[in-house]
Amino acid sequence: MNDGKKKGLVQVYTGDGKGKTTAALGLVLRAVGKGHSAFIIQFMKGKINYGELESCGELTNTEIEQYGRADFVDKENPAQVDINFAEEGFQRAKEVISSGDYDIVVLDEMNITLDYELLDKEKVIEAIEDRPEHVEVVLTGRYAPSSIIDAADLVSVISEVKHPFRDGIEAREGIEY
Ligand code: ATP
Ligand code: MG
């Protein structure tokens, strides 16, 4: 824990443009450079070899864990395994947040997890509001529910103006994952 940072706030990165998860990762990079500690929990992601899984292992005071499958979740009819992963990730998030051991806790793709109704919004907001004072919580993902936006201190909406995917350029290693 770094005492240079006082009150922890709640940040939300949402919208349909690229840059939400990378914004949170950039924040972690900056924070650990100043002696803060960070824990990243990735929801709805699993077994995909994201670059951050490797680089976070190299960073001091930084942990990252994934709770999800490599496949897409069916929004209309989510599989039980997807609900279980979300619940397991949330239990872990509550432990990590309430421990106060980490200055920054990133709940990557939490917004979309809530939009897909894999978790209860009220319980997530309660866990965020009950955090120790110095803990900063960052939620990423498209379609942030209005109750999450209301609970946040900082909200950035990243809009797609252009994305190379539309020109047929597939996800690139080290850029998209
Ligand atoms: P990134 O992880 O690159 O910061 P993101 O977190 O903003 O992206 P997500 O909504 O989580 O984006 O998207 C999941 C995947 O789709 C990522 O690989 C991301 O790079 C890619 N992506 C993001 N925005 C777009 C878009 N507008 N069109 C196509 N693919 C996108
Ligand atoms: Mg993302």
Side-chain angles (χ1 to χ4, degrees):
M1 201 197 304
N2 176 323
D3 294 331
K5 185 168 69 61
K6 299 273 185 278
K7 188 172 161 34
L9 302 179
V10 178
Q11 304 191 21
V12 172
Y13 294 93
T14 192
D16 65 359
K18 172 180 166 71
K20 301 171 291 292
T21 296
T22 49
L25 294 171
L27 196 70
V28 166
L29 186 65
R30 175 177 288 165
V32 298
K34 292 291 183 186
H36 299 293
S37 53
F39 204 113
I40 302 158
I41 296 184
Q42 297 193 313
F43 290 86
M44 294 173 70
K45 286 179 176 171
K47 297 200 177 75
I48 304 171
N49 192 21
Y50 286 97
E52 58 264 34
L53 293 176
E54 297 179 33
S55 48
C56 287
E58 303 286 317
L59 283 177
T60 46
N61 301 325
T62 307
E63 306 289 336
I64 186 165
E65 291 178 2
Q66 288 188 331
Y67 291 86
R69 294 184 298 140
D71 297 335
F72 285 111
V73 178
D74 178 359
K75 184 173 180 181
E76 302 314 319
N77 189 20
Q80 188 60 43
V81 63
D82 295 319
I83 296 167
N84 294 349
F85 265 128
E87 191 54 45
E88 208 188 316
F90 179 49
Q91 293 308 320
R92 185 72 170 129
K94 283 198 289 190
E95 264 173 43
V96 168
I97 291 170
S98 64
S99 73
D101 290 346
Y102 294 87
D103 299 297
I104 306 219
V105 181
V106 176
L107 307 180
D108 186 37
E109 311 307 344
M110 176 54 94
N111 298 330
I112 196 133
T113 304
L114 293 175
D115 182 61
Y116 277 43
E117 298 183 341
L118 301 182
L119 290 172
D120 182 89
K121 292 183 195 71
E122 296 314 311
K123 287 189 183 154
V124 171
I125 289 169
E126 198 180 296
I128 293 169
E129 287 182 343
D130 289 349
R131 72 192 184 281
E133 214 187 343
H134 66 280
V135 176
E136 184 106 1
V137 178
V138 182
L139 296 91
T140 79
R142 292 164 191 233
Y143 314 124
S146 55
S147 55
I148 289 290
I149 288 177
D150 290 346
D153 300 287
L154 181 159
V155 179
S156 290
V157 180
I158 300 174
S159 305
E160 182 192 321
V161 176
K162 286 185 175 184
H163 194 290
F165 186 71
R166 294 197 185 273
D167 296 326
I169 299 174
E170 306 246 332
R172 293 165 300 159
E173 183 181 68
I175 305 289
E176 268 78 46
Y177 63 94

